[in-house]
Amino acid sequence: MPVLRALSKVVKQTLLGSPGCSCQPLTVAVRNISFSPRQVTSDASFHSVSFSETDHPKVLITGGLGQLGVGLAKMLRKKFGKNNVILSDIRKPPSSVFHSGPFIYSDILDYKNLREIVVNNRITWLFHYSALLSAVGEANVALARSVNITGLHNILDIAAEHGLRLFVPSTIGAFGPTSPRNPTPDLCVQRPRTIYGVSKVHAELMGEYYHHRYGLDFRCLRYPGIISADSMPGGGTTDYAVQIFHDAIKSGKFECNLRPDTRLPMMYIDDCLRATLEVMEAPVDTLSMRTYNINAMSFTPEELAQELQKQMPELEVTYDVDHVRQAIADSWPMNFDDSNARKEWGWKHDYDLPELIQTMLNYLSSETRVARAN
Ligand SMILES: NC(=O)C1=CN([C@@H]2O[C@H](COP(=O)(O)OP(=O)(O)OC[C@H]3O[C@@H](n4cnc5c(N)ncnc54)[C@H](O)[C@@H]3O)[C@@H](O)[C@H]2O)C=CC1
Ligand SMILES: CC(=O)[C@H](N)C(=O)O
């Protein structure tokens, strides 16, 4: 009976909150009302990150060995110091990554292990990059549901319990065929048709809910398709826009898996990572929302090929449409309206299509020259 009485007291506190406070202080079990390891102690606080801690955050990046995580770690280590940024993943890191700063194994489905990492390393900022992307997710819905939704729940609970500032990326894929597509504003119908999109809308809503309910410092950007030279994409619909550069340099030929007229929002990786840091550092009073669109450019495969052919006139592009990816792309935004990010916290992209092409070609051709010389 005492157990039941205690339980009912916790339930009451959870549901009613304390008088005069719109968000619930951390006196409740975040995930479930039970005697689980997720029960938060009464002296914990969602607002416990002190100023000096946010000036010099201790950072954890999950899913850090994908297309974006290694670049994010590099940028954050430059700013906050090598040992203050821990990269984690479930894959074995290449030796260059392993020797460039702290790396640990972390499966986001293992809640206790995550908690241990956060506690032992006194983590204050968490960048949650683990996910299955759109095309891979459609090929393995059960795994995508588990990693993208169950994994996110673990991350939210850990972040809330330990007063972390939490960044979770969302995507153009969080919109669907009934959303306005040209342009797509921050707030509109979101009815995606992929497990990836559904999981990202869920992440946006859960993060915002934890923010309003518990005061979690949740920040989220909806990224366009990201283009990078030194890392490969992990199985998405926008992957063609990276692959074309590699194939152009290697063989002078590229077979595109989307129709030539498929228009999608895109961004160079340096802009994406800078936006991520900028929104994490934005003063709270500049953020009227917790989830923002960001954008840089928007093009079709045909436009990208034509622009690339200005530099490489011999490039041959053919099309062999993958129907799964095409259906996904046809349901996504063609242009992204990111005016709120620009107005509120000063977002501004540096790379348009010509700069993107020049930067990618410079990087990849110098890599090829080095490889040939060795
Ligand atoms: N790359 C892009 O164009 C875009 C990416 N994003 C988002 O940015 C984030 C990072 O994207 P990418 O680096 O491109 O993804 P990616 O697919 O290249 O990498 C994801 C990483 O998550 C890891 N992972 C999978 N299951 C895991 C688990 N159980 N525990 C821990 N890690 C696990 C994988 O090993 C992989 O290294 C994702 O959340 C993605 O949705 C959003 C929009 C565009
Ligand atoms: C735009 C994304 O979220 C990703 N690159 C994908 O195509 O799945």
Side-chain angles (χ1 to χ4, degrees), residues 133-134 171-172 196 224-225 236-238 332:
L133 302 195
S134 57
T171 161
I172 49 174
Y196 178 58
T237 304
T238 59
W332 281 4

Side-chain angles (χ1 to χ4, degrees), residues 66-68 89 91 106-108 129-130 170 196 200 224 226:
Q67 187 191 357
L68 306 185
D89 207 301
R91 294 194 274 150
S106 170
D107 181 347
I108 56 158
Y129 269 9
S130 313
S170 185
Y196 178 58
K200 289 294 187 179
I226 305 302

